Amino acid sequence: MNPWEGISLSDYEKHMALDSVRQLQTMNEMMKVQFEAYPVTTAMVFGIAGGNGLEHVNQEMYKKIYGIDINEEYLAAAKERFSYLKDILECRRIDLTCELDLLPEAELVIANLFIEYVGYETFKKAILKSKAKYVSCIIQINSDEESWVSDSPYIHAFDGLDTVHHQIDEKDLTKAMKDIGYSHLKTDEYLLPNGKKLVMIDFKRETFIEMKLFQVKPDKLNEFEAKIEEMYRNQLKCEGCITLKYFKRFYTIDGIELGEPPRELTKIVKCVKYYSYWEFDTKENYGNAIKIFFDNYNKELQKLLIAPFDINLGYSI
Protein backbone atom coordinates (compact mmCIF):
# COMPACT_ATOMS: atom_id res chain seq x y z
CA MET A 1 0.00 0.00 0.00
CA ASN A 2 1.23 3.48 -0.82
CA PRO A 3 1.89 5.37 2.47
CA TRP A 4 -0.31 8.25 1.31
CA GLU A 5 -3.31 5.93 1.59
CA GLY A 6 -2.71 5.70 5.35
CA ILE A 7 -2.54 9.44 6.08
CA SER A 8 -5.86 10.97 7.10
CA LEU A 9 -6.96 14.14 5.36
CA SER A 10 -7.49 15.77 8.74
CA ASP A 11 -3.88 15.18 9.85
CA TYR A 12 -2.56 16.29 6.47
CA GLU A 13 -4.51 19.55 6.29
CA LYS A 14 -4.03 20.48 9.97
CA HIS A 15 -0.28 20.02 9.58
CA MET A 16 -0.16 22.01 6.32
CA ALA A 17 -2.26 24.85 7.75
CA LEU A 18 -0.26 25.45 10.98
CA ASP A 19 1.06 28.99 11.32
CA SER A 20 4.58 27.55 11.50
CA VAL A 21 4.05 25.70 8.18
CA ARG A 22 1.45 27.65 6.13
CA GLN A 23 1.80 25.47 3.04
CA LEU A 24 -1.95 25.00 2.67
CA GLN A 25 -2.57 28.76 2.57
CA THR A 26 0.43 29.49 0.36
CA MET A 27 -0.43 26.79 -2.17
CA ASN A 28 -4.00 28.07 -2.27
CA GLU A 29 -2.68 31.48 -3.28
CA MET A 30 -0.36 29.92 -5.85
CA MET A 31 -3.12 27.76 -7.35
CA LYS A 32 -5.14 30.87 -8.13
CA VAL A 33 -2.23 31.93 -10.33
CA GLN A 34 -1.97 28.46 -11.88
CA PHE A 35 -5.65 28.23 -12.82
CA GLU A 36 -5.66 31.72 -14.36
CA ALA A 37 -2.31 31.70 -16.17
CA TYR A 38 -3.04 30.00 -19.51
CA PRO A 39 -5.69 29.95 -22.28
CA VAL A 40 -6.99 26.42 -21.59
CA THR A 41 -10.39 24.84 -20.96
CA THR A 42 -9.24 21.56 -19.37
CA ALA A 43 -6.88 20.95 -16.46
CA MET A 44 -5.71 18.03 -14.36
CA VAL A 45 -4.46 18.27 -10.77
CA PHE A 46 -2.05 15.53 -9.69
CA GLY A 47 -2.36 14.87 -5.94
CA ILE A 48 -5.54 16.88 -5.51
CA ALA A 49 -5.98 15.81 -1.84
CA GLY A 50 -9.04 17.56 -0.37
CA GLY A 51 -9.32 20.04 -3.23
CA ASN A 52 -7.35 22.97 -1.84
CA GLY A 53 -7.40 25.73 -4.48
CA LEU A 54 -10.40 24.51 -6.45
CA GLU A 55 -12.38 27.56 -5.38
CA HIS A 56 -10.29 29.46 -7.93
CA VAL A 57 -11.68 27.49 -10.88
CA ASN A 58 -13.45 29.86 -13.27
CA GLN A 59 -16.57 27.98 -14.33
CA GLU A 60 -16.94 30.13 -17.43
CA MET A 61 -13.41 29.24 -18.52
CA TYR A 62 -13.07 25.56 -17.63
CA LYS A 63 -15.08 22.73 -19.16
CA LYS A 64 -13.34 19.93 -17.24
CA ILE A 65 -11.06 19.61 -14.22
CA TYR A 66 -9.66 16.17 -13.42
CA GLY A 67 -8.65 15.56 -9.81
CA ILE A 68 -6.16 12.71 -9.50
CA ASP A 69 -5.15 11.10 -6.21
CA ILE A 70 -4.33 7.72 -4.73
CA ASN A 71 -6.36 8.27 -1.54
CA GLU A 72 -10.11 7.62 -1.83
CA GLU A 73 -10.83 9.66 1.32
CA TYR A 74 -9.18 12.71 -0.19
CA LEU A 75 -11.15 12.37 -3.43
CA ALA A 76 -14.46 11.94 -1.59
CA ALA A 77 -13.78 15.10 0.41
CA ALA A 78 -12.88 17.10 -2.70
CA LYS A 79 -16.09 16.03 -4.44
CA GLU A 80 -18.20 16.90 -1.39
CA ARG A 81 -16.55 20.26 -0.73
CA PHE A 82 -16.82 21.34 -4.35
CA SER A 83 -20.11 19.73 -5.28
CA TYR A 84 -21.06 22.95 -7.10
CA LEU A 85 -18.38 21.99 -9.65
CA LYS A 86 -20.05 18.64 -10.33
CA ASP A 87 -20.43 19.36 -14.05
CA ILE A 88 -16.73 20.28 -14.29
CA LEU A 89 -14.86 18.35 -11.60
CA GLU A 90 -14.15 14.67 -12.17
CA CYS A 91 -12.15 12.88 -9.46
CA ARG A 92 -10.30 9.67 -10.26
CA ARG A 93 -8.31 7.33 -8.03
CA ILE A 94 -5.17 6.54 -10.02
CA ASP A 95 -1.77 5.32 -8.87
CA LEU A 96 0.51 6.97 -11.40
CA THR A 97 3.34 4.58 -10.60
CA CYS A 98 1.45 1.66 -12.16
CA GLU A 99 -1.85 2.87 -13.71
CA LEU A 100 -0.80 5.42 -16.31
CA ASP A 101 -3.16 3.88 -18.85
CA LEU A 102 -6.09 5.23 -16.80
CA LEU A 103 -4.90 8.82 -17.03
CA PRO A 104 -7.06 11.21 -19.13
CA GLU A 105 -5.75 14.06 -21.28
CA ALA A 106 -5.82 17.75 -20.36
CA GLU A 107 -4.33 20.97 -21.70
CA LEU A 108 -2.90 21.99 -18.31
CA VAL A 109 -1.38 19.75 -15.62
CA ILE A 110 -0.91 21.11 -12.10
CA ALA A 111 1.41 19.10 -9.86
CA ASN A 112 1.97 20.66 -6.45
CA LEU A 113 4.24 18.88 -3.94
CA PHE A 114 3.59 15.78 -6.01
CA ILE A 115 6.74 15.00 -7.99
CA GLU A 116 8.54 14.40 -4.67
CA TYR A 117 6.50 11.22 -4.21
CA VAL A 118 6.74 9.67 -7.69
CA GLY A 119 10.12 10.81 -8.99
CA TYR A 120 11.18 12.28 -12.32
CA GLU A 121 10.70 9.22 -14.53
CA THR A 122 7.13 8.47 -13.47
CA PHE A 123 6.27 12.16 -13.71
CA LYS A 124 7.64 12.41 -17.25
CA LYS A 125 5.60 9.40 -18.35
CA ALA A 126 2.46 10.89 -16.78
CA ILE A 127 2.97 14.21 -18.55
CA LEU A 128 3.46 12.51 -21.90
CA LYS A 129 0.29 10.46 -21.33
CA SER A 130 -1.67 13.62 -20.44
CA LYS A 131 -0.52 15.39 -23.65
CA ALA A 132 -0.60 18.64 -21.68
CA LYS A 133 0.34 21.85 -23.44
CA TYR A 134 1.22 23.54 -20.15
CA VAL A 135 2.60 22.07 -16.91
CA SER A 136 2.75 24.02 -13.65
CA CYS A 137 4.63 22.44 -10.74
CA ILE A 138 5.24 23.45 -7.15
CA ILE A 139 8.23 21.91 -5.42
CA GLN A 140 9.53 22.45 -1.90
CA ILE A 141 13.04 23.72 -1.26
CA ASN A 142 14.25 22.80 2.21
CA SER A 143 16.65 24.72 4.42
CA ASP A 144 17.65 21.34 5.88
CA GLU A 145 17.36 18.32 3.57
CA GLU A 146 17.25 15.97 6.55
CA SER A 147 13.98 17.50 7.81
CA TRP A 148 11.87 17.83 4.67
CA VAL A 149 8.68 17.39 6.75
CA SER A 150 8.17 20.44 8.96
CA ASP A 151 7.99 19.84 12.70
CA SER A 152 4.44 19.80 14.07
CA PRO A 153 2.15 17.80 16.41
CA TYR A 154 1.17 15.77 13.34
CA ILE A 155 4.68 14.94 12.09
CA HIS A 156 4.46 11.21 12.89
CA ALA A 157 1.49 10.84 10.54
CA PHE A 158 4.05 11.23 7.75
CA ASP A 159 6.65 8.73 8.98
CA GLY A 160 5.99 6.27 6.15
CA LEU A 161 6.66 8.80 3.41
CA ASP A 162 10.42 8.28 3.65
CA THR A 163 9.96 5.14 1.55
CA VAL A 164 8.59 7.08 -1.45
CA HIS A 165 10.14 10.53 -1.06
CA HIS A 166 12.49 11.95 -3.71
CA GLN A 167 14.36 15.21 -3.26
CA ILE A 168 13.45 17.40 -6.25
CA ASP A 169 15.74 20.08 -7.60
CA GLU A 170 14.73 22.94 -9.91
CA LYS A 171 17.64 22.39 -12.29
CA ASP A 172 17.07 18.64 -12.54
CA LEU A 173 13.32 19.08 -13.02
CA THR A 174 13.92 21.55 -15.85
CA LYS A 175 16.28 19.08 -17.52
CA ALA A 176 13.80 16.21 -17.07
CA MET A 177 11.05 18.27 -18.71
CA LYS A 178 13.32 19.34 -21.55
CA ASP A 179 14.05 15.66 -22.19
CA ILE A 180 10.36 15.16 -23.09
CA GLY A 181 10.00 18.35 -25.12
CA TYR A 182 8.90 20.95 -22.56
CA SER A 183 10.62 24.32 -22.28
CA HIS A 184 10.83 26.44 -19.15
CA LEU A 185 8.40 29.38 -19.04
CA LYS A 186 8.79 30.98 -15.62
CA THR A 187 9.74 30.45 -11.99
CA ASP A 188 8.23 32.09 -8.91
CA GLU A 189 9.25 31.63 -5.28
CA TYR A 190 7.06 31.88 -2.18
CA LEU A 191 8.76 31.96 1.23
CA LEU A 192 7.41 29.97 4.15
CA PRO A 193 7.69 30.87 7.85
CA ASN A 194 9.95 27.91 8.74
CA GLY A 195 12.81 28.77 6.38
CA LYS A 196 11.54 26.58 3.56
CA LYS A 197 10.14 27.92 0.30
CA LEU A 198 7.72 26.79 -2.37
CA VAL A 199 8.90 27.21 -5.95
CA MET A 200 6.43 27.29 -8.84
CA ILE A 201 7.99 26.23 -12.14
CA ASP A 202 5.96 26.34 -15.36
CA PHE A 203 6.66 24.61 -18.66
CA LYS A 204 5.23 24.64 -22.17
CA ARG A 205 5.32 21.78 -24.65
CA GLU A 206 7.69 22.37 -27.56
CA THR A 207 5.96 20.65 -30.44
CA PHE A 208 7.91 19.63 -33.54
CA ILE A 209 6.45 21.08 -36.73
CA GLU A 210 6.83 20.29 -40.41
CA MET A 211 5.56 22.46 -43.25
CA LYS A 212 5.51 21.10 -46.80
CA LEU A 213 5.08 23.02 -50.06
CA PHE A 214 3.65 21.10 -53.03
CA GLN A 215 3.81 22.72 -56.48
CA VAL A 216 1.16 20.80 -58.40
CA LYS A 217 0.90 20.55 -62.17
CA PRO A 218 -2.27 22.35 -63.40
CA ASP A 219 -3.63 19.21 -65.07
CA LYS A 220 -3.10 17.08 -61.94
CA LEU A 221 -5.16 19.02 -59.38
CA ASN A 222 -7.99 16.49 -59.04
CA GLU A 223 -5.56 13.61 -58.65
CA PHE A 224 -3.57 15.52 -56.04
CA GLU A 225 -6.62 16.48 -53.98
CA ALA A 226 -7.82 12.86 -54.03
CA LYS A 227 -4.37 11.82 -52.80
CA ILE A 228 -4.58 14.41 -50.01
CA GLU A 229 -7.68 12.67 -48.62
CA GLU A 230 -5.84 9.35 -48.46
CA MET A 231 -2.63 10.84 -47.00
CA TYR A 232 -4.55 12.86 -44.42
CA ARG A 233 -6.29 9.78 -42.98
CA ASN A 234 -3.06 7.83 -42.67
CA GLN A 235 -0.87 10.68 -41.44
CA LEU A 236 -3.21 11.37 -38.54
CA LYS A 237 -2.72 7.79 -37.36
CA CYS A 238 1.03 8.22 -36.92
CA GLU A 239 2.26 7.95 -33.34
CA GLY A 240 2.74 11.35 -31.73
CA CYS A 241 0.76 13.28 -34.36
CA ILE A 242 -1.01 16.25 -32.75
CA THR A 243 -2.56 17.94 -35.75
CA LEU A 244 -2.43 17.99 -39.55
CA LYS A 245 -3.84 20.51 -42.00
CA TYR A 246 -3.67 20.94 -45.77
CA PHE A 247 -4.61 24.06 -47.70
CA LYS A 248 -4.60 25.29 -51.26
CA ARG A 249 -3.35 28.78 -52.13
CA PHE A 250 -6.56 30.40 -53.35
CA TYR A 251 -6.08 34.04 -52.32
CA THR A 252 -3.56 36.87 -52.15
CA ILE A 253 -3.35 40.32 -50.59
CA ASP A 254 -1.31 41.67 -53.50
CA GLY A 255 -3.03 44.60 -55.17
CA ILE A 256 -5.58 45.30 -52.43
CA GLU A 257 -5.86 47.88 -49.68
CA LEU A 258 -4.81 46.49 -46.30
CA GLY A 259 -7.91 45.83 -44.23
CA GLU A 260 -9.89 44.65 -47.23
CA PRO A 261 -10.60 40.91 -47.80
CA PRO A 262 -7.94 39.06 -49.82
CA ARG A 263 -8.67 38.74 -53.52
CA GLU A 264 -9.13 35.38 -55.20
CA LEU A 265 -6.48 34.13 -57.59
CA THR A 266 -7.89 33.74 -61.08
CA LYS A 267 -4.86 32.75 -63.16
CA ILE A 268 -2.60 29.71 -62.87
CA VAL A 269 1.05 30.44 -63.57
CA LYS A 270 3.12 27.27 -63.99
CA CYS A 271 1.63 25.43 -60.96
CA VAL A 272 -0.87 25.54 -58.08
CA LYS A 273 0.64 25.65 -54.61
CA TYR A 274 -0.61 23.50 -51.73
CA TYR A 275 0.74 23.53 -48.19
CA SER A 276 0.58 21.14 -45.25
CA TYR A 277 1.18 21.69 -41.52
CA TRP A 278 2.08 18.54 -39.56
CA GLU A 279 2.65 18.79 -35.80
CA PHE A 280 4.21 16.17 -33.49
CA ASP A 281 4.94 15.74 -29.82
CA THR A 282 8.61 14.82 -30.47
CA LYS A 283 11.07 14.94 -33.35
CA GLU A 284 11.64 11.20 -32.88
CA ASN A 285 8.00 10.42 -33.63
CA TYR A 286 8.14 12.79 -36.58
CA GLY A 287 11.22 10.97 -37.87
CA ASN A 288 9.34 7.68 -37.87
CA ALA A 289 6.30 9.24 -39.52
CA ILE A 290 8.13 10.97 -42.35
CA LYS A 291 9.82 7.69 -43.28
CA ILE A 292 6.39 6.09 -43.61
CA PHE A 293 5.23 9.07 -45.68
CA PHE A 294 8.14 8.79 -48.11
CA ASP A 295 7.81 5.02 -48.38
CA ASN A 296 4.09 5.23 -49.19
CA TYR A 297 3.68 8.42 -51.21
CA ASN A 298 6.89 9.96 -52.53
CA LYS A 299 6.98 8.20 -55.92
CA GLU A 300 3.30 8.85 -56.64
CA LEU A 301 3.52 12.49 -55.62
CA GLN A 302 6.48 13.26 -57.87
CA LYS A 303 4.32 12.43 -60.90
CA LEU A 304 1.89 15.19 -59.87
CA LEU A 305 4.43 17.91 -59.08
CA ILE A 306 6.67 20.17 -61.15
CA ALA A 307 9.47 19.74 -58.57
CA PRO A 308 10.08 17.70 -55.38
CA PHE A 309 8.05 19.03 -52.46
CA ASP A 310 9.85 21.31 -49.98
CA ILE A 311 10.03 20.46 -46.26
CA ASN A 312 10.66 23.02 -43.49
CA LEU A 313 11.14 21.85 -39.88
CA GLY A 314 11.38 23.38 -36.45
CA TYR A 315 10.12 23.61 -32.90
CA SER A 316 7.10 25.72 -31.94
CA ILE A 317 7.83 28.95 -30.05
Side-chain angles (χ1 to χ4, degrees):
M1 183 178 78
N2 189 294
W4 275 108
E5 295 178 88
I7 300 173
S8 74
L9 184 61
S10 175
D11 285 347
Y12 171 67
E13 291 187 334
K14 286 178 180 178
H15 168 81
M16 296 283 280
L18 286 170
D19 286 341
S20 60
V21 179
R22 289 194 63 81
Q23 289 191 4
L24 199 73
Q25 301 92 323
T26 305
M27 280 205 298
N28 187 286
E29 176 186 345
M30 296 169 80
M31 287 187 76
K32 184 176 189 298
V33 175
Q34 289 174 310
F35 277 125
E36 295 176 353
Y38 302 108
V40 298
T41 60
T42 60
M44 181 156 44
V45 182
F46 290 168
I48 196 170
N52 182 39
L54 287 179
E55 65 266 36
H56 303 305
V57 171
N58 182 339
Q59 296 181 65
E60 294 182 358
M61 172 180 172
Y62 282 97
K63 296 178 180 178
K64 180 67 70 176
I65 303 287
Y66 294 103
I68 309 299
D69 212 290
I70 198 170
N71 189 307
E72 293 279 13
E73 178 198 357
Y74 296 0
L75 294 170
K79 285 190 286 187
E80 181 179 352
R81 290 172 176 177
F82 297 94
S83 58
Y84 65 88
L85 293 176
K86 62 181 180 180
D87 294 331
I88 298 174
L89 179 63
E90 182 177 328
C91 293
R92 298 190 184 185
R93 187 214 172 272
I94 300 176
D95 183 347
L96 294 187
T97 64
C98 59
E99 297 176 326
L100 282 176
D101 57 313
L102 301 179
L103 204 62
E105 297 178 6
E107 297 164 283
L108 166 67
V109 165
I110 294 173
N112 297 339
L113 301 187
F114 175 83
I115 310 171
E116 288 88 339
Y117 302 104
V118 297
Y120 295 120
E121 293 306 313
T122 294
F123 184 64
K124 289 194 294 183
K125 291 175 183 176
I127 294 302
L128 289 174
K129 179 65 171 63
S130 75
K131 297 186 178 179
K133 184 175 183 180
Y134 300 97
V135 179
S136 185
C137 315
I138 295 175
I139 63 173
Q140 176 178 295
I141 303 299
N142 306 307
S143 54
D144 179 0
E145 290 190 8
E146 296 299 318
S147 58
W148 52 272
V149 177
S150 300
D151 189 29
S152 85
Y154 308 97
I155 191 170
H156 291 298
F158 306 97
D159 285 347
L161 293 181
D162 281 320
T163 61
V164 294
H165 183 263
H166 304 73
Q167 188 59 44
I168 302 301
D169 172 81
E170 179 181 346
K171 182 178 178 181
D172 290 341
L173 176 58
T174 300
K175 181 182 182 304
M177 293 298 287
K178 187 170 183 60
D179 288 344
I180 58 170
Y182 284 78
S183 60
H184 174 260
L185 281 178
K186 64 176 183 175
T187 298
D188 293 309
E189 295 185 355
Y190 294 71
L191 299 178
L192 299 171
N194 54 10
K196 303 180 190 300
K197 62 183 177 181
L198 297 181
V199 180
M200 183 195 302
I201 313 170
D202 287 9
F203 303 91
K204 182 180 179 182
R205 184 178 63 203
E206 289 182 327
T207 56
F208 194 77
I209 296 170
E210 176 215 77
M211 291 193 69
K212 290 191 188 80
L213 165 62
F214 303 92
Q215 300 179 88
V216 182
K217 297 174 182 177
D219 61 341
K220 299 293 185 180
L221 301 185
N222 290 337
E223 290 179 59
F224 183 76
E225 292 187 9
K227 184 56 66 175
I228 285 178
E229 293 184 15
E230 177 190 341
M231 294 189 300
Y232 180 83
R233 289 193 301 270
N234 291 323
Q235 285 177 267
L236 280 179
K237 296 175 184 176
C238 291
E239 183 177 355
C241 175
I242 296 172
T243 189
L244 170 66
K245 295 183 184 299
Y246 280 87
F247 79 91
K248 178 181 179 181
R249 182 174 178 258
F250 274 110
Y251 292 89
T252 181
I253 60 171
D254 291 343
I256 66 163
E257 291 290 330
L258 291 180
E260 293 296 314
R263 67 175 178 83
E264 188 169 358
L265 294 171
T266 57
K267 183 179 179 181
I268 296 176
V269 179
K270 193 176 180 180
C271 68
V272 175
K273 293 180 179 179
Y274 290 76
Y275 297 83
S276 71
Y277 174 97
W278 203 7
E279 185 176 18
F280 279 81
D281 55 355
T282 67
K283 66 179 185 296
E284 289 76 17
N285 280 333
Y286 167 76
N288 293 329
I290 193 60
K291 181 182 186 305
I292 295 171
F293 184 90
F294 267 85
D295 289 347
N296 290 340
Y297 301 115
N298 187 47
K299 288 183 179 179
E300 294 179 67
L301 287 174
Q302 298 313 317
K303 298 174 184 177
L304 310 178
L305 308 176
I306 66 169
F309 51 83
D310 292 334
I311 294 180
N312 294 280
L313 302 170
Y315 280 105
S316 60
I317 56 174

